[in-house]
Amino acid sequence: MPESTPPVADGTPPAQSPPARVPWVTYTGVYLLLFLIGTETFLVSPLLPTIAGSVGVSVAAAASTVTAYTLVYALTAPFLGAVSDRFGRRPTILAGTLLFLLGNALAAVAGNLGVLVVARVLGALGAALAGPSIWAHIAETAPAPVRGRAVGLGMALFSAGQVLGVPAGSFLAGWGGWRASFWALTALTAASAPLLLAQIKDRPGKEAEAAPLRFAAVFTVWRDGVLRHTLIVVFLLQAANLGAYTFLGSALHDRFGLSVNELGLLGILVGAGSALGSLAAGRIGDRARERGSGDALWIPVWCLVLGGAAVLAALGADSLLAYAAVLVWFFASGAFGTLVQTLLVSSRPELGATSSSWNSATLYAGTAVGVAVAGTFAHADTGTAVVGGGLAVLAGLTALPLVGRLRPVPAEGAARADSAPAGTGTKEAAADGRS
């Protein structure tokens, strides 16, 4: 921690250090890559009929490319996160970028479904290798007072990429065929490579200190009490969040007779809410840590706000109220995601990428459970309200003990916390038993 300037002999007060700022320019490469990974997530959705006709298969068969991408990402991300924690951020981000680029280039020239599935698998492997490493890199290198804002902007750009993927894919497919979308991703990924090479540096001594790679270490996250508790909250909240949202369009159609075009507004609200929530949570978290109060208290707050908004969206008296509730719903979702991402990659820096990758895998698992539960209800609005509201409240209640475990650093320990390479301004007492 830099020493303060000593007072001069004439009694002039010591000079104050300038407020910390996020070094935005040093993250342009990773921010661009996060935006592209988010874009690819939903890029194929509007292209399925065109792709199916082009390669001579049914739409259902073409949808296997989406399944391949999500399954490969969910199953491999934790193991690839461990690779990042062992070998460092720079090599894994660069390797992931190369795989992501090759996957999109292969998709652009694929002549049959088999090649296209392989291309999507390569793209998923690249995203699973680079994504968790990027979150760990940001948390490790951003100044502690603005770490939340640095992560928050990354989350906002990732969310923006997801929302823009559908209209961007449709536009490019109408202009130059479905392959143009993948060529665009290839070109933009290639453009990010020089930035990544210039901006990401290896942390001195990391490789020398690292333990040998053992894939059993992937599950170390689940033996850590704080990380395990956080991921359980993530599972419950994402089951509420995306499980309920899956049936929201059907609920609004049944209640208000909204057309497909009117329901399309939901995507805009989801993206805007998520991006705004991500940015706001980063700033709120940084200020909470600066005051010494810690940001863990916001975890149950965002859970309860999300649950209330989900119920209001499903059961609100009119469509305008439902749309407003959706905006609040995904504001809370984006805020929760940023807060948890910052917590996971900062609580145990040596497990930063592994924790982040488990966060993604847990999100997918929670979504699957939420969708399954919501689908058991006879009416979509009831399922949306019960799953979105009930599981979000359960997540908030589950998070309350976590707030106690992430107590603010006491004054006598502040110097140690400030000098740490990463952290969220909290400490876990040894009595918590990490395990």
Side-chain angles (χ1 to χ4, degrees), residues 36-384:
L36 296 175
I37 291 173
T39 297
E40 192 182 38
T41 305
F42 294 118
L43 178 69
V44 172
S45 298
L47 307 180
L48 284 177
T50 306
I51 291 174
S54 175
V55 300
V57 298
S58 67
V59 172
S64 64
T65 60
V66 177
T67 303
Y69 186 93
T70 55
L71 279 179
V72 168
Y73 188 105
L75 293 175
T76 64
F79 297 94
L80 296 178
V83 171
S84 173
D85 287 332
R86 167 59 181 88
F87 293 105
R89 312 309 178 205
R90 178 182 170 91
T92 49
I93 291 175
L94 293 176
T97 302
L98 178 59
L99 284 173
F100 190 72
L101 185 151
L102 290 176
N104 285 299
L106 182 60
V109 300
N112 58 64
L113 182 62
V115 174
L116 189 56
V117 169
V118 171
R120 296 287 284 163
V121 167
L122 285 176
L125 288 172
L129 185 58
S133 300
I134 289 174
W135 296 120
H137 166 71
I138 294 173
E140 291 167 354
T141 57
V146 292
R147 184 171 297 127
R149 271 167 274 185
V151 173
L153 180 57
M155 291 292 290
L157 289 170
F158 182 78
S159 299
Q162 290 180 317
V163 174
L164 291 176
V166 173
S170 299
F171 172 78
L172 289 173
W175 172 70
W178 64 269
R179 299 177 191 277
S181 301
F182 288 102
W183 280 126
L185 276 176
T186 302
L188 290 172
T189 304
S192 72
L195 295 172
L196 296 171
L197 284 168
Q199 294 172 352
I200 301 177
K201 307 298 181 184
D202 284 321
R203 297 177 65 192
K206 179 175 177 64
E207 289 74 18
E209 299 172 0
L213 177 64
R214 296 187 179 92
F215 282 114
V218 170
F219 302 98
T220 300
V221 168
W222 291 97
R223 294 192 292 272
D224 181 293
V226 170
L227 298 181
R228 180 176 64 247
H229 196 154
T230 305
L231 289 173
I232 290 172
V233 174
V234 170
F235 175 86
L236 293 171
L237 196 280
Q238 296 302 346
N241 181 27
L242 298 177
Y245 179 67
T246 300
F247 294 91
L248 179 62
S250 177
L252 296 181
H253 173 74
D254 293 343
R255 296 191 65 221
F256 305 118
L258 299 182
S259 66
V260 173
N261 289 335
E262 290 171 324
L263 289 173
L265 178 60
L266 289 178
I268 299 175
L269 295 174
V270 167
S274 297
L276 291 173
S278 297
L279 294 172
R283 186 171 295 274
I284 291 170
D286 287 337
R287 288 179 176 175
R289 289 188 293 274
E290 182 181 358
R291 291 193 302 267
S293 59
D295 55 351
L297 179 62
W298 285 93
I299 297 177
V301 170
W302 296 128
C303 290
L304 296 177
V305 170
L306 187 152
V311 172
L312 193 59
L315 303 178
D318 57 59
S319 58
L320 289 179
L321 181 60
Y323 281 140
V326 169
L327 185 64
V328 175
W329 174 347
F330 281 89
F331 183 96
S333 173
F336 175 87
T338 293
L339 176 56
V340 167
Q341 190 70 262
T342 305
L343 170 64
L344 286 172
V345 298
S346 301
S347 179
R348 288 282 298 274
E350 72 277 14
L351 295 174
T354 307
S355 299
S356 179
S357 60
W358 273 114
N359 185 33
S360 298
T362 305
L363 183 152
Y364 283 117
T367 300
V369 170
V371 170
V373 174
T376 62
F377 289 84
H379 300 286
D381 55 352
T382 304
T384 300

